[in-house]
Amino acid sequence: MIVFATSDKGGTGRSVTSSNVAYRHALQGGDCCYLDFDFGSPTSGAIFDLPDAYAGVPEGGLHSYLADGAAEPRRIDIWAESERDVLRGRPPGAGRLALFPGDRGGGEFRSAPEIVERCVDLLLRADEEFNLVIVDLSAGRSYATEIVLAATASTALRGVVARWLVFHRWTRQHIVAASGLVYGKHGILETATELGHDPVTVRDNIRFVRTAVLDPASPGQAGLRPEQLAWLDVCNKRLQELASRRRVGRTSVLAQIPLDPVLQWQEQLLSNDDVWLHRTANQRTVDAFDELAKKIVDDSAWIGL
Amino acid sequence: MNAYPGVFTEESATPVVRRVALSHLSIELGHLYMDDFSAGEERLREHFRRVLPWVRTAEQACADEVHRGRPRVSTCFLVDDYFTRFGSPAEVVDALMGAAGDAGLTIDYVARESGCATADGVDLATLVRQHLVAEPPEGDNGGRPPTAVSGWLSNGERAETAPAAAMAAPRPWQPPRQSAVQNHSIFVDIELWNGPTGEVLWSCPFLAAVWQLQRLGLIRHLGEPVAEPRPATADELADDWDRMPAVVQLNPRATPFRAYRTFSALDARFLPIELAVRTILGQVAVDATVAAQVRERAKGDGITLPDEVVDRIRYAFL
């Protein structure tokens, strides 16, 4: 199964959430790989604590493979190469966890038939080898999204399940932006249809993920004044109305990731040690990642609306 | 004389432009490559037999156009020693003269192609390159490097697909367009030279353009003509191409090498090269003083010359 992670705006927590979902999926026993298709900023190595690939690999990454036609893109085994102790060594029962990084200094490139063809090959092979393939796309209407939409429209990938997660923060601007990316002009649905996809199938395979959500009812908000809590409540209701009007409402939401202090300071994988030993991360956040990792592959969560 | 009206120059700053002797017509009897030479003397004789009727026709046409005095027609032949070296000058020129003589033709002048690149210590090709005024295509935005940098010259704008925004519908393909178009375009893009600075290899069409300018008497270096023909016989020629003068006068009674008009009898395979030559010459700014000098000389001879250099060139493609 291939999952495309995208967002209209930057800074939504798309990469950090999808990396954590990949990590959780591997911990749950599935083989998972993470493809860094954020071509303008290939920095996923930082989230996985890979010192040699903080800002992409020096050569042979996804840029070289897709744009220049280099052989076989570089892949990094997280359990073997991560610098973080907790990630070193595959935990018993866990699946494989691999990262396909971009090239250091790589930038965005336009879609072209040969690039789409290489992308088809890559996705096909990754899908055969891993239970879950997470493709982290660039934000907004990007060439990366155009390339994968063209690739998944090819006959070779027709039988492969492709799902989409659209990340957005729980704010007015982000709701409007996420809705526009999916339903708007030159959005995912329009482009997919243009490239030969069935619009209904694509729409049924898109879900939204709300990130960094401040829950007024959570115990963490104890420091807020009553006036602030009241305002938050009103604001939350207004956002819910806006979201449902924009077709980003509750029925199309797959998960809600709470605001977590650790992730505010540092994009990283949240381990159980961060919750129980160091007590820095919140259990609710880890639970949300865990649940999202399960829901992604759970067909009942993806029944057409 | 100030050739550029409205531009102030000190009279002493304008170099004196020396006149050159001019015939009415310069006939090119052919262009010799190594393949033709190595194919043997019979191939050369065959060549001259084929061009003979066209040469006679060109001579007749010239005679009909000249109303004052007798027509002055000179013949020339260009040997390629630039791209491939073969034989020795004496051997090649001797074979050429023999074959031409058998067909009833006289070669007045023989030139070597590298003499169009460098002659008498003057970098002739660079001199012409510096007179290139490449026409900018409509809507040019500098995305294509200028001819002086890239070494590529075109007669219009290339086909292209403008980059579309990501996920937007692709922009339609734009066909190429000739600048001076008449209903339908014939677009050409010509490589004038390649290689790094200092080791530039000039292209065949560019040297051929220099050759035409040379025959039309339109090249001067600091006011002096370059590669003046040197009288010699085939036996006197050196064994080394580098030591052979750029243009050799073989016939002591020949009329001047350069002429008002040129005529070239060429194999049809040279057609694309001559298209390139004409495109190049259409974008070469001939020194105004030189151009005026030649036109006035022609007027004195009772001939009205077209302003455009390319209109003074005639061909027969066989």
Side-chain angles (χ1 to χ4, degrees), chain B residues 189-226:
Chain B
D189 221 336
I190 301 150
E191 189 170 19
L192 304 183
W193 68 85
N194 59 19
T197 324
E199 295 167 52
V200 163
L201 184 72
W202 301 99
S203 72
C204 175
F206 191 72
L207 293 180
V210 175
W211 172 236
Q212 290 284 5
L213 286 173
Q214 181 68 284
R215 287 165 66 203
L216 288 166
L218 295 172
I219 293 182
R220 298 288 188 285
H221 176 62
L222 302 174
E224 290 292 319
V226 187

Short mmCIF file of all heavy atoms in Angstrom, two decimals, chain B residues 189-226:
data_model
loop_
_atom_site.label_atom_id
_atom_site.label_comp_id
_atom_site.label_asym_id
_atom_site.label_seq_id
_atom_site.Cartn_x
_atom_site.Cartn_y
_atom_site.Cartn_z
N ASP B 189 19.25 26.81 -37.37
CA ASP B 189 20.12 27.18 -36.26
C ASP B 189 21.51 26.68 -36.66
O ASP B 189 21.67 25.50 -36.96
CB ASP B 189 19.64 26.51 -34.97
CG ASP B 189 19.74 27.46 -33.80
OD1 ASP B 189 20.56 28.39 -33.88
OD2 ASP B 189 19.02 27.26 -32.81
N ILE B 190 22.47 27.59 -36.69
CA ILE B 190 23.76 27.26 -37.29
C ILE B 190 24.88 27.36 -36.26
O ILE B 190 24.99 28.36 -35.55
CB ILE B 190 24.05 28.24 -38.46
CG1 ILE B 190 22.94 28.14 -39.49
CG2 ILE B 190 25.40 27.97 -39.08
CD1 ILE B 190 22.72 29.44 -40.21
N GLU B 191 25.70 26.32 -36.21
CA GLU B 191 26.85 26.34 -35.30
C GLU B 191 28.01 27.00 -36.04
O GLU B 191 28.47 26.50 -37.06
CB GLU B 191 27.20 24.91 -34.88
CG GLU B 191 28.23 24.86 -33.78
CD GLU B 191 28.41 23.47 -33.20
OE1 GLU B 191 28.02 22.50 -33.87
OE2 GLU B 191 28.95 23.37 -32.10
N LEU B 192 28.46 28.14 -35.53
CA LEU B 192 29.52 28.88 -36.21
C LEU B 192 30.90 28.39 -35.82
O LEU B 192 31.82 28.43 -36.61
CB LEU B 192 29.40 30.37 -35.90
CG LEU B 192 28.06 31.02 -36.23
CD1 LEU B 192 28.12 32.52 -35.93
CD2 LEU B 192 27.67 30.80 -37.67
N TRP B 193 31.02 27.99 -34.58
CA TRP B 193 32.30 27.44 -34.12
C TRP B 193 32.04 26.61 -32.88
O TRP B 193 30.98 26.71 -32.28
CB TRP B 193 33.30 28.56 -33.79
CG TRP B 193 32.95 29.39 -32.60
CD1 TRP B 193 33.21 29.14 -31.29
CD2 TRP B 193 32.25 30.65 -32.62
NE1 TRP B 193 32.72 30.14 -30.50
CE2 TRP B 193 32.14 31.08 -31.28
CE3 TRP B 193 31.74 31.46 -33.62
CZ2 TRP B 193 31.51 32.27 -30.93
CZ3 TRP B 193 31.11 32.64 -33.27
CH2 TRP B 193 31.00 33.04 -31.95
N ASN B 194 33.02 25.79 -32.53
CA ASN B 194 32.95 25.12 -31.24
C ASN B 194 34.36 25.00 -30.68
O ASN B 194 35.32 25.43 -31.31
CB ASN B 194 32.24 23.77 -31.33
CG ASN B 194 32.90 22.81 -32.29
OD1 ASN B 194 34.08 22.99 -32.64
ND2 ASN B 194 32.19 21.81 -32.74
N GLY B 195 34.46 24.47 -29.51
CA GLY B 195 35.76 24.35 -28.85
C GLY B 195 36.04 25.53 -27.96
O GLY B 195 35.39 26.57 -28.06
N PRO B 196 37.03 25.37 -27.05
CA PRO B 196 37.34 26.42 -26.09
C PRO B 196 38.04 27.61 -26.74
O PRO B 196 38.61 27.49 -27.83
CB PRO B 196 38.27 25.71 -25.09
CG PRO B 196 38.89 24.60 -25.87
CD PRO B 196 37.89 24.19 -26.91
N THR B 197 38.01 28.75 -26.07
CA THR B 197 38.68 29.95 -26.56
C THR B 197 40.15 29.64 -26.80
O THR B 197 40.78 28.98 -25.99
CB THR B 197 38.57 31.10 -25.52
OG1 THR B 197 37.30 30.99 -24.90
CG2 THR B 197 38.72 32.45 -26.16
N GLY B 198 40.66 30.10 -27.90
CA GLY B 198 42.06 29.84 -28.22
C GLY B 198 42.23 28.61 -29.10
O GLY B 198 43.19 28.52 -29.85
N GLU B 199 41.29 27.65 -28.99
CA GLU B 199 41.37 26.46 -29.83
C GLU B 199 40.08 26.29 -30.62
O GLU B 199 39.58 25.19 -30.80
CB GLU B 199 41.58 25.21 -28.97
CG GLU B 199 42.88 25.15 -28.22
CD GLU B 199 42.83 24.05 -27.18
OE1 GLU B 199 42.50 22.91 -27.52
OE2 GLU B 199 43.10 24.36 -26.00
N VAL B 200 39.52 27.42 -31.02
CA VAL B 200 38.23 27.40 -31.70
C VAL B 200 38.33 26.67 -33.03
O VAL B 200 39.28 26.86 -33.79
CB VAL B 200 37.75 28.85 -31.90
CG1 VAL B 200 36.66 28.90 -32.94
CG2 VAL B 200 37.26 29.42 -30.58
N LEU B 201 37.37 25.80 -33.30
CA LEU B 201 37.27 25.15 -34.61
C LEU B 201 36.09 25.80 -35.35
O LEU B 201 34.94 25.65 -34.93
CB LEU B 201 37.04 23.65 -34.46
CG LEU B 201 37.01 22.87 -35.78
CD1 LEU B 201 38.40 22.76 -36.39
CD2 LEU B 201 36.41 21.49 -35.59
N TRP B 202 36.40 26.52 -36.41
CA TRP B 202 35.34 27.21 -37.15
C TRP B 202 34.56 26.20 -37.97
O TRP B 202 35.11 25.22 -38.46
CB TRP B 202 35.95 28.27 -38.07
CG TRP B 202 36.75 29.28 -37.33
CD1 TRP B 202 38.10 29.31 -37.17
CD2 TRP B 202 36.24 30.40 -36.60
NE1 TRP B 202 38.47 30.38 -36.39
CE2 TRP B 202 37.35 31.07 -36.03
CE3 TRP B 202 34.96 30.91 -36.36
CZ2 TRP B 202 37.21 32.21 -35.25
CZ3 TRP B 202 34.83 32.05 -35.60
CH2 TRP B 202 35.95 32.69 -35.04
N SER B 203 33.27 26.48 -38.14
CA SER B 203 32.44 25.54 -38.90
C SER B 203 32.59 25.81 -40.39
O SER B 203 32.98 26.91 -40.81
CB SER B 203 30.99 25.66 -38.49
OG SER B 203 30.44 26.86 -38.97
N CYS B 204 32.28 24.79 -41.18
CA CYS B 204 32.38 24.91 -42.64
C CYS B 204 31.53 26.08 -43.18
O CYS B 204 32.02 26.87 -43.97
CB CYS B 204 31.99 23.57 -43.24
SG CYS B 204 31.93 23.58 -45.01
N PRO B 205 30.26 26.25 -42.76
CA PRO B 205 29.48 27.38 -43.28
C PRO B 205 30.09 28.74 -42.91
O PRO B 205 30.03 29.66 -43.71
CB PRO B 205 28.11 27.23 -42.63
CG PRO B 205 28.05 25.89 -42.05
CD PRO B 205 29.44 25.38 -41.90
N PHE B 206 30.68 28.81 -41.72
CA PHE B 206 31.23 30.12 -41.34
C PHE B 206 32.44 30.46 -42.22
O PHE B 206 32.57 31.58 -42.70
CB PHE B 206 31.62 30.13 -39.85
CG PHE B 206 31.93 31.52 -39.36
CD1 PHE B 206 30.91 32.43 -39.20
CD2 PHE B 206 33.23 31.92 -39.11
CE1 PHE B 206 31.17 33.73 -38.78
CE2 PHE B 206 33.51 33.21 -38.68
CZ PHE B 206 32.47 34.12 -38.52
N LEU B 207 33.31 29.46 -42.45
CA LEU B 207 34.46 29.72 -43.32
C LEU B 207 33.99 30.01 -44.75
O LEU B 207 34.57 30.84 -45.45
CB LEU B 207 35.41 28.51 -43.30
CG LEU B 207 36.10 28.27 -41.95
CD1 LEU B 207 37.01 27.05 -42.02
CD2 LEU B 207 36.91 29.49 -41.51
N ALA B 208 32.90 29.34 -45.16
CA ALA B 208 32.36 29.60 -46.50
C ALA B 208 31.80 31.01 -46.60
O ALA B 208 31.87 31.66 -47.66
CB ALA B 208 31.30 28.57 -46.83
N ALA B 209 31.24 31.52 -45.48
CA ALA B 209 30.74 32.90 -45.47
C ALA B 209 31.90 33.87 -45.59
O ALA B 209 31.82 34.87 -46.33
CB ALA B 209 29.95 33.16 -44.19
N VAL B 210 33.00 33.57 -44.87
CA VAL B 210 34.20 34.41 -44.98
C VAL B 210 34.70 34.39 -46.43
O VAL B 210 35.08 35.42 -47.00
CB VAL B 210 35.31 33.90 -44.03
CG1 VAL B 210 36.59 34.69 -44.21
CG2 VAL B 210 34.84 33.96 -42.59
N TRP B 211 34.67 33.21 -47.03
CA TRP B 211 35.12 33.02 -48.42
C TRP B 211 34.30 33.90 -49.37
O TRP B 211 34.84 34.55 -50.26
CB TRP B 211 35.00 31.52 -48.75
CG TRP B 211 35.22 31.07 -50.16
CD1 TRP B 211 34.34 30.36 -50.92
CD2 TRP B 211 36.39 31.23 -50.98
NE1 TRP B 211 34.87 30.08 -52.14
CE2 TRP B 211 36.14 30.61 -52.20
CE3 TRP B 211 37.61 31.87 -50.78
CZ2 TRP B 211 37.06 30.58 -53.24
CZ3 TRP B 211 38.54 31.84 -51.82
CH2 TRP B 211 38.26 31.21 -53.02
N GLN B 212 32.99 33.93 -49.19
CA GLN B 212 32.15 34.77 -50.05
C GLN B 212 32.47 36.26 -49.84
O GLN B 212 32.59 37.01 -50.81
CB GLN B 212 30.65 34.53 -49.75
CG GLN B 212 30.12 33.17 -50.19
CD GLN B 212 29.90 33.09 -51.70
OE1 GLN B 212 30.22 34.00 -52.46
NE2 GLN B 212 29.37 31.95 -52.15
N LEU B 213 32.63 36.67 -48.59
CA LEU B 213 32.95 38.08 -48.31
C LEU B 213 34.29 38.45 -48.93
O LEU B 213 34.47 39.54 -49.49
CB LEU B 213 33.01 38.32 -46.80
CG LEU B 213 31.67 38.36 -46.07
CD1 LEU B 213 31.90 38.42 -44.57
CD2 LEU B 213 30.84 39.57 -46.51
N GLN B 214 35.23 37.51 -48.84
CA GLN B 214 36.55 37.72 -49.41
C GLN B 214 36.44 37.91 -50.93
O GLN B 214 37.02 38.85 -51.49
CB GLN B 214 37.41 36.49 -49.05
CG GLN B 214 38.82 36.49 -49.51
CD GLN B 214 39.64 37.54 -48.79
OE1 GLN B 214 39.53 38.73 -49.10
NE2 GLN B 214 40.45 37.13 -47.85
N ARG B 215 35.67 37.06 -51.57
CA ARG B 215 35.54 37.14 -53.04
C ARG B 215 34.78 38.40 -53.46
O ARG B 215 34.95 38.90 -54.57
CB ARG B 215 34.80 35.89 -53.57
CG ARG B 215 35.67 34.65 -53.53
CD ARG B 215 34.84 33.41 -53.71
NE ARG B 215 34.25 33.31 -55.04
CZ ARG B 215 33.17 32.60 -55.32
NH1 ARG B 215 32.54 31.95 -54.36
NH2 ARG B 215 32.71 32.55 -56.55
N LEU B 216 33.92 38.91 -52.56
CA LEU B 216 33.17 40.13 -52.89
C LEU B 216 33.97 41.39 -52.54
O LEU B 216 33.47 42.51 -52.67
CB LEU B 216 31.83 40.14 -52.16
CG LEU B 216 30.80 39.13 -52.70
CD1 LEU B 216 29.65 38.96 -51.73
CD2 LEU B 216 30.28 39.57 -54.06
N GLY B 217 35.20 41.20 -52.03
CA GLY B 217 36.07 42.35 -51.73
C GLY B 217 35.57 43.18 -50.57
O GLY B 217 35.75 44.39 -50.55
N LEU B 218 34.94 42.54 -49.61
CA LEU B 218 34.31 43.30 -48.52
C LEU B 218 35.06 43.16 -47.19
O LEU B 218 34.57 43.59 -46.16
CB LEU B 218 32.86 42.85 -48.35
CG LEU B 218 31.96 43.16 -49.55
CD1 LEU B 218 30.59 42.51 -49.40
CD2 LEU B 218 31.80 44.66 -49.74
N ILE B 219 36.25 42.54 -47.22
CA ILE B 219 36.98 42.36 -45.96
C ILE B 219 38.20 43.27 -45.91
O ILE B 219 38.98 43.33 -46.86
CB ILE B 219 37.41 40.88 -45.78
CG1 ILE B 219 36.18 40.00 -45.60
CG2 ILE B 219 38.35 40.72 -44.60
CD1 ILE B 219 36.49 38.54 -45.39
N ARG B 220 38.33 43.99 -44.81
CA ARG B 220 39.52 44.81 -44.57
C ARG B 220 39.95 44.62 -43.12
O ARG B 220 39.10 44.47 -42.25
CB ARG B 220 39.21 46.31 -44.77
CG ARG B 220 38.76 46.71 -46.14
CD ARG B 220 39.89 46.67 -47.16
NE ARG B 220 39.42 47.26 -48.40
CZ ARG B 220 38.59 46.66 -49.24
NH1 ARG B 220 38.16 45.44 -48.97
NH2 ARG B 220 38.18 47.27 -50.33
N HIS B 221 41.24 44.67 -42.91
CA HIS B 221 41.75 44.68 -41.54
C HIS B 221 42.53 45.96 -41.36
O HIS B 221 43.55 46.18 -42.03
CB HIS B 221 42.64 43.46 -41.30
CG HIS B 221 43.28 43.46 -39.94
ND1 HIS B 221 42.55 43.41 -38.79
CD2 HIS B 221 44.58 43.50 -39.57
CE1 HIS B 221 43.36 43.43 -37.76
NE2 HIS B 221 44.60 43.48 -38.20
N LEU B 222 42.05 46.85 -40.49
CA LEU B 222 42.64 48.19 -40.31
C LEU B 222 42.77 48.89 -41.66
O LEU B 222 43.78 49.54 -41.95
CB LEU B 222 44.00 48.09 -39.61
CG LEU B 222 43.98 47.42 -38.23
CD1 LEU B 222 45.40 47.26 -37.70
CD2 LEU B 222 43.14 48.20 -37.25
N GLY B 223 41.77 48.71 -42.50
CA GLY B 223 41.73 49.40 -43.79
C GLY B 223 42.47 48.67 -44.90
O GLY B 223 42.35 49.04 -46.07
N GLU B 224 43.23 47.63 -44.54
CA GLU B 224 44.01 46.91 -45.55
C GLU B 224 43.31 45.62 -45.96
O GLU B 224 42.78 44.92 -45.09
CB GLU B 224 45.39 46.55 -44.98
CG GLU B 224 46.30 47.73 -44.76
CD GLU B 224 46.75 48.37 -46.07
OE1 GLU B 224 47.05 47.63 -47.03
OE2 GLU B 224 46.76 49.62 -46.15
N PRO B 225 43.32 45.28 -47.23
CA PRO B 225 42.77 43.99 -47.62
C PRO B 225 43.63 42.85 -47.06
O PRO B 225 44.83 43.03 -46.86
CB PRO B 225 42.81 44.00 -49.14
CG PRO B 225 43.73 45.10 -49.51
CD PRO B 225 43.79 46.07 -48.38
N VAL B 226 43.00 41.72 -46.81
CA VAL B 226 43.71 40.56 -46.24
C VAL B 226 43.78 39.47 -47.30
O VAL B 226 42.88 39.33 -48.11
CB VAL B 226 42.97 40.03 -44.99
CG1 VAL B 226 43.78 38.95 -44.30
CG2 VAL B 226 42.68 41.17 -44.02
#
